[in-house]
Amino acid sequence: MKKLFAILSMVALTSTLAVTPAIAAPAKPGGTCAKVNTSTTISKVKYVCKKSGSKLIWTKASAPAPVFATLWDKYSWAKPTDASAVASAATAAFTSYTATKRNANTSVKVLAQTGVDSTLINWVTDGANLIAQTFAYPALSRPFVDVIAIDEAGLQSLYKAEGFSDNEIQDRVGGFKAGAPAFGGSKTNTWNYTTIKNNNLMTNDRAGTAQTAGHEFFHAIQEMLATRNPGPLGEEIPNWFWEGPSMFVGTQTTNALGTVTYASSRQSSVERYKNGAAINRSSTLEEIRGNDGVIDPYALGHAASEFLAANVGMEKFLNIYAGLGMGKNFADAFKDATGVELADFYSMFEEVRSTLGFAKS
């Protein structure tokens, strides 16, 4: 009887085990799951059941993109309420950056024909060397030369003595004949003293003339870093980001040297904007791509460069050109260097350009 009871008990137990459902394995990151898009929380982290190949696995849920009330909140930039605060912040950024001599042994060689005003020679020498010695850029392949010429023959003689090729000299002659007070290059910059003297520019446009030293050397830095230039149409690199930064650097240079205050130089850009072609006042910054004598990238570009430097500093500013030199397009180089989407920068600038003194009309 006992033996029969034991057998019956064993049969009952076996039957019970056979019908008990299996207990599901606990959820874990990367573990299998049963139904797509179901969710669970593991150690306070939300996971969603997603298909991976032929399997369903628990995958960490993507955090929703943050929502910002304004672009100023997105980038933690203070929206300016007056131009002086932006100018002061930009000046502080420039002063901080140029406090370090990154190329202390670099010296720009300044050559001038007999008869050139010594004040202009000093402006060119001091301004060019300030930028050459403090900014970061690739090593020069040869000593940098600045030439201040009175006439074509003198220009050719000075360049020939420095070992420039006939083609290089003729390129300089072409710029000289065009009559611009100053023009740049990747190995040398040139001043037309006859234009400067005949128009009395050292008095009538002291700010504009003095800033050419830092302005033109910065052009050389731009070319060395970006390995290209915008050209007259600015299809790949807008000219506002070529001439505007050079205006900013040039005017900050005269301020640092005590030649012309930044406030005075900045006002010259404001007046240039107000008195220039109407298309520059009716265009957005994004539309200021060319440099053809009508589209003027200098003044509005100066304002935009000041605004950018005030918010990101000079190092990130320069890194945009370095990104261009790596083959990036302008929008990507801008974003990678500054952390700011180019379209967002354009939008923020348009919001405050009137505050900065460059109202659209």
Side-chain angles (χ1 to χ4, degrees):
M1 187 70 176
K2 288 183 179 181
K3 185 174 181 181
L4 177 60
F5 178 78
I7 293 172
L8 293 173
S9 297
M10 187 174 293
V11 171
L13 178 61
T14 302
S15 301
T16 302
L17 291 174
V19 299
T20 301
I23 300 174
K28 62 180 180 180
T32 59
C33 52
K35 186 177 180 181
V36 172
N37 292 332
T38 55
S39 63
T40 188
T41 300
I42 306 169
S43 300
K44 298 183 179 180
V45 178
K46 184 179 180 180
Y47 288 84
V48 179
C49 186
K50 297 290 184 182
K51 189 171 184 179
S52 177
S54 60
K55 298 180 179 180
L56 295 179
I57 61 172
W58 291 114
T59 304
K60 187 176 179 180
S62 300
V67 177
F68 298 98
T70 68
L71 291 175
W72 307 96
D73 295 328
K74 180 178 178 179
Y75 297 110
S76 298
W77 286 19
K79 184 176 180 178
T81 55
D82 65 86
S84 61
V86 176
S88 294
T91 299
F94 180 88
T95 302
S96 174
Y97 184 80
T98 55
T100 299
K101 285 196 172 184
R102 297 167 178 81
N103 313 291
N105 296 324
T106 298
S107 180
V108 177
K109 189 172 185 177
V110 179
L111 305 173
Q113 271 186 267
T114 301
V116 172
D117 191 315
S118 61
T119 297
L120 179 61
I121 297 173
N122 291 335
W123 286 357
V124 171
T125 302
D126 295 343
N129 279 301
L130 173 63
I131 303 307
Q133 292 174 1
T134 58
F135 274 65
Y137 52 87
L140 298 172
S141 59
R142 57 153 295 152
F144 202 92
V145 178
D146 279 352
V147 168
I148 311 173
I150 296 174
D151 53 44
E152 183 181 328
L155 180 146
Q156 292 192 56
S157 176
L158 290 171
Y159 274 119
K160 188 171 183 179
E162 287 301 307
F164 282 80
S165 70
D166 289 342
N167 285 339
E168 289 173 321
I169 293 173
Q170 288 308 307
D171 178 68
R172 299 288 93 189
V173 169
F176 188 85
K177 286 182 175 179
F183 55 96
S186 57
K187 299 177 182 177
T188 175
N189 295 320
T190 310
W191 279 257
N192 186 327
Y193 182 63
T194 297
T195 295
I196 294 170
K197 183 179 179 180
N198 288 348
N199 293 281
N200 197 22
L201 296 180
M202 292 179 65
T203 300
N204 294 339
D205 187 15
R206 179 183 176 90
T209 305
Q211 66 88 34
T212 56
H215 180 126
E216 298 303 343
F217 196 90
F218 189 68
H219 273 324
I221 293 175
Q222 290 170 315
E223 284 200 35
M224 285 185 278
L225 290 173
T227 67
R228 48 187 160 144
N229 60 58
L233 300 180
E235 294 169 315
E236 295 185 7
I237 307 169
N239 273 285
W240 77 258
F241 192 66
W242 205 258
E243 296 299 345
S246 293
M247 289 292 291
F248 173 72
V249 169
T251 52
Q252 285 289 349
T253 298
T254 64
N255 182 69
L257 294 173
T259 310
V260 182
T261 65
Y262 181 67
S264 178
S265 296
R266 186 185 189 282
Q267 186 58 35
S268 293
S269 284
V270 173
E271 295 303 321
R272 176 175 182 148
Y273 175 78
K274 290 180 177 178
N275 298 321
I279 190 172
N280 297 294
R281 295 187 297 279
S282 63
S283 300
T284 64
L285 176 65
E286 186 176 7
E287 293 169 333
I288 303 296
R289 304 191 68 86
N291 185 12
D292 58 7
V294 178
I295 298 296
D296 178 22
Y298 294 82
L300 194 61
H302 184 176
S305 300
E306 174 191 80
F307 177 58
L308 182 60
N311 284 286
V312 305
M314 293 307 300
E315 188 169 350
K316 290 181 179 180
F317 200 115
L318 281 177
N319 285 343
I320 301 173
Y321 297 103
L324 290 167
M326 297 174 191
K328 298 176 183 178
N329 63 44
F330 181 54
D332 288 344
F334 192 98
K335 171 64 171 16
D336 292 346
T338 66
V340 179
E341 297 283 354
L342 179 60
D344 290 346
F345 174 77
Y346 281 140
S347 294
M348 287 189 287
F349 179 76
E350 294 301 326
E351 278 191 54
V352 299
R353 62 187 279 179
S354 59
T355 300
L356 301 179
F358 296 80
K360 192 175 178 185
S361 61

